[in-house]
Amino acid sequence: MKSNILTEKVLIVDSNIDYANFLQKFLKESGYLSYIASSYEEAINMAYDKIPDCILVDYMLPNAGASRLSGHIKNDNILKNIAILFLTATNSKAEFIKAYECGADGFFLKSIDTDILLSKMKAYIRLKKAIESNIMYMNILKQDIEYASKLQKSILSYGNTSIPKNDISIFHYAPNEVSGDYSGIKSINDGWYAILLADVSGHGVAASMLTILIKSFFDSHIITNYKNTSPANFIKELNQFFIEENFDKSLFASVFYAIYNNDTGDFICSSGGSPKPIFYSKDSAQEINIEGPLVGMSEDSEYSEVHIKLNHNDILFIFTDGAYEIFNPEGKMFGDEGLKNVFVKNAHKDVNVIKDNIIKELKSFSGNILSDDISMIILRRTN
């Protein structure tokens, strides 16, 4: 059974009351609520009061009322999605163009034959409702992403620890609300600490949720496998986790994992597709030559290890590719050599100053446009 409740609203704005009454009667028979305003001022007040789905306005409304009304409606955040259709007795091309330029959605000749007007009006109202629906869902999505961002930051920051006898600076930057990067530092046993830096492909919600899974794997591995401290085994097991969970192949990660003995300075690391860290010792900087396949790409992936030793004042610089895959307005990339040079130039300074100066250089080079996630860990052995 068809409902008799009228919900879609139309505002008729015309100084010719007879024609306005004619339209109102027709619209009621067609299933629309309609209201009549005879002037610009009355139309503005009624638009705010009724919030119509569509406004039918006489193009010749006195005192340029139609153009003024259209301009006001389209520049008002509350009313701007209302469809505005101009009704006119002229078929001048110049007037048509002028009408659209001032914000009209449609331009129709006045006539007692209202079928075309009704069809067009229905189409514009459908469009208005689709826009409003999209805006509503976008607002819901925006709120959800903002909540996901707060939740992700809280989860990822929980449980990390500092390392005695070392100065550490950790930096994260995300151009979007959620991030695909994660870093963690945890105590293992007998003076050993685990250090992880991961960069998940993409920048959306899926990537951010995967960082949480990586953290969960990291946390549980430290608890259950604390005696099996091999970095290569850790990354291999993480890769197997990715494969077994059957994630979409577009979701993979570069991972750097290391164990560091706070008492002896021993540092053992492995890499799954991450950039080579920089080791600064005795005024000389060199890359740690460790490579390995990306995590989540192949179940047959194998990983190797490199063992170095940190002495007093030695520095490790670990970073994701977002720290050097930065472009200036001319399209030139900052590059890993550029990043290394900035690090070396500042290596004698406090670790937080090193970090700040690197970020300052990146922003200056890019014109303050950092479009990718950036993560860095700078560790100096002070003992």
Side-chain angles (χ1 to χ4, degrees), residues 43-44 47 55 68-77 79-82 84:
I44 290 293
I55 297 177
R68 291 165 59 208
L69 177 63
S70 178
H72 185 101
I73 296 295
K74 294 304 180 182
N75 286 290
D76 187 282
N77 286 331
L79 307 175
K80 63 183 180 182
N81 292 322
I82 298 173
I84 300 178

Side-chain angles (χ1 to χ4, degrees), residues 88-101:
T88 181
T90 180
N91 59 359
S92 165
K93 178 180 178 180
E95 293 300 326
F96 272 55
I97 294 173
K98 183 179 177 182
Y100 285 118
E101 286 177 346

